[in-house]
Amino acid sequence: MNASIRDPQRRRLLQGLAMSTVALALPTWARAATMAADDAPILRAIPSSGERIPVVGLGANAYGVQTAEEKAPLREVLQRLAQVPNSVIDTAPSYRNSEAVLGELIEELGLRERFFIATKVTAPGGDVAAGIAQMEASFRHLRTDTIDLMMVHNLNGAEAILPTLLEWKQAGRLRHIGITTSNNEQHAETAALIRAHPLDVVQVNYSLGNRAAEDIVFPAAQERGTAVVLNVPLGGRRGSLFGRVRDVPLPDWAAESGASSWAQLFLKYNLGHPAVTAVLPGTTRVSNLEDNLGAGRGALPDAAQRRRIEVFWDALPE
């Protein structure tokens, strides 16, 4: 790959030229859905670089599939997501062969410059050599010579491997670096690492049903100018938010925040927090992606509206 096109300014110029070609390649229903979306996607900057990303990205932990039939819907999701330039796609070596599937489909579709690709690394027991081997494999699997964001997965070996990530960033192989956690018990350690290292991004578990990160992780990120992206913003497999509202109608006042579905209300609630840069809901279906993307357009709840959502949620039966 020509490394010059990984420059954000050059990439934005190329995106405008590429957009018409991408749109023509999409299924008719997808083009119609895009044309119907009048509001521009909300973008927020990664403070350390100033690079702007859409506030709704894609978690790809379910993209470790094998067959052509399984890959077909994923291809459609990527085609749709490509209509929102610089959208974050989040993967990891531990998500089975997700990296390889993404690398294959993105290359096949010619969409590398449409995405902000994030993946992860671990250094178990402080084994930096193992972490380096893992990162080299990620480059091969993703079929790219530059990774937009490399994060230490669940803080595993963070102190040992972060200096290497910083070196690779300075060399231009990585554009941003960070850490992740999906465990409340790691929030204190996460906050300490944010304060101790020059991190561009922290990825943390946060949703309406689990707000612990806002007490520990968010303040550290705001102090240090670290972007916050959310995993499991809809609760995830450990406790999906949707089960609690299965038989509950969406309140009329949800429209005040531009939400027309529970998914949009949940995601807009997250995005209404001033510390949050983006959310990464996972999906393998275009219909769900379309719904999620709606949360990244139009109004977002202010502090009073977020509090109303919290009171409503807390009053629901478990």
Side-chain angles (χ1 to χ4, degrees), residues 101-161:
V101 170
L102 287 168
E104 173 191 337
L105 294 178
I106 291 170
E107 182 177 78
E108 172 190 312
L109 294 166
L111 295 175
R112 174 64 184 95
E113 302 313 315
R114 305 296 296 177
F115 298 128
F116 183 105
I117 293 180
T119 192
K120 308 179 185 74
V121 63
T122 60
D127 189 343
V128 174
I132 289 173
Q134 190 179 84
M135 289 193 290
E136 293 289 6
S138 292
F139 279 98
R140 293 193 300 272
H141 294 154
L142 290 166
R143 307 188 188 190
T144 186
D145 57 13
T146 308
I147 290 175
D148 298 301
L149 171 61
M150 180 69 74
M151 298 169 286
V152 184
H153 202 177
N154 290 328
L155 313 185
N156 191 343
E159 289 285 5
I161 196 72

Side-chain angles (χ1 to χ4, degrees), residues 234-253:
L234 298 173
R237 290 187 298 274
R238 300 176 189 176
S240 171
L241 304 181
F242 295 107
R244 195 161 168 178
V245 295
R246 183 176 294 110
D247 300 317
V248 179
L250 188 70
D252 292 340
W253 48 258

Side-chain angles (χ1 to χ4, degrees), residues 206-224:
Y206 180 82
S207 70
L208 184 56
N210 178 10
R211 304 167 218 159
E214 66 185 14
D215 297 324
I216 301 173
V217 178
F218 288 6
Q222 289 176 297
E223 290 168 18
R224 294 283 289 177

Side-chain angles (χ1 to χ4, degrees), residues 2-253:
N2 183 344
S4 67
I5 62 176
R6 294 307 303 145
D7 177 77
Q9 292 183 346
R10 172 128 177 97
R11 181 174 61 192
R12 282 192 287 270
L13 292 174
L14 293 174
Q15 284 169 347
L17 296 174
M19 190 59 204
S20 58
T21 302
V22 172
L24 290 173
L26 290 166
T28 301
W29 58 263
R31 296 200 301 271
T34 304
M35 294 172 64
D38 296 327
D39 296 330
I42 300 168
L43 306 178
R44 286 180 176 164
I46 297 171
S48 62
S49 67
E51 183 162 354
R52 290 161 65 79
I53 57 175
V55 295
V56 177
L58 174 68
N61 64 323
Y63 278 53
V65 301
Q66 300 293 335
T67 68
E69 290 76 14
E70 290 173 317
K71 293 174 184 177
L74 310 185
R75 183 181 293 104
E76 291 190 352
V77 168
L78 294 175
Q79 286 179 301
R80 174 63 184 99
L81 188 64
Q83 294 179 309
V84 188
N86 220 29
S87 290
V88 178
I89 298 178
D90 177 72
T91 184
S94 61
Y95 299 165
R96 297 188 295 169
N97 63 323
S98 170
E99 287 183 327
V101 170
L102 287 168
E104 173 191 337
L105 294 178
I106 291 170
E107 182 177 78
E108 172 190 312
L109 294 166
L111 295 175
R112 174 64 184 95
E113 302 313 315
R114 305 296 296 177
F115 298 128
F116 183 105
I117 293 180
T119 192
K120 308 179 185 74
V121 63
T122 60
D127 189 343
V128 174
I132 289 173
Q134 190 179 84
M135 289 193 290
E136 293 289 6
S138 292
F139 279 98
R140 293 193 300 272
H141 294 154
L142 290 166
R143 307 188 188 190
T144 186
D145 57 13
T146 308
I147 290 175
D148 298 301
L149 171 61
M150 180 69 74
M151 298 169 286
V152 184
H153 202 177
N154 290 328
L155 313 185
N156 191 343
E159 289 285 5
I161 196 72
L162 277 171
T164 301
L165 266 61
L166 184 58
E167 290 174 8
W168 285 30
K169 177 186 173 183
Q170 292 169 341
R173 298 192 72 189
L174 308 175
R175 299 184 55 249
H176 301 84
I177 64 173
I179 55 176
T180 83
T181 183
S182 57
N183 185 339
N184 288 8
E185 294 180 358
Q186 290 186 320
H187 285 179
E189 183 181 358
T190 298
L193 286 166
I194 291 169
R195 292 186 169 102
H197 295 275
L199 304 177
D200 302 297
V201 176
V202 59
Q203 184 185 123
V204 65
N205 54 312
Y206 180 82
S207 70
L208 184 56
N210 178 10
R211 304 167 218 159
E214 66 185 14
D215 297 324
I216 301 173
V217 178
F218 288 6
Q222 289 176 297
E223 290 168 18
R224 294 283 289 177
T226 303
V228 175
V229 296
L230 305 183
N231 55 47
V232 294
L234 298 173
R237 290 187 298 274
R238 300 176 189 176
S240 171
L241 304 181
F242 295 107
R244 195 161 168 178
V245 295
R246 183 176 294 110
D247 300 317
V248 179
L250 188 70
D252 292 340
W253 48 258

Side-chain angles (χ1 to χ4, degrees), residues 270-294:
N270 295 337
L271 292 169
H273 195 290
V276 174
T277 307
V279 296
L280 300 171
T283 186
T284 59
R285 299 179 181 179
V286 171
S287 58
N288 289 342
L289 176 67
E290 201 70 57
D291 193 16
N292 295 341
L293 290 176

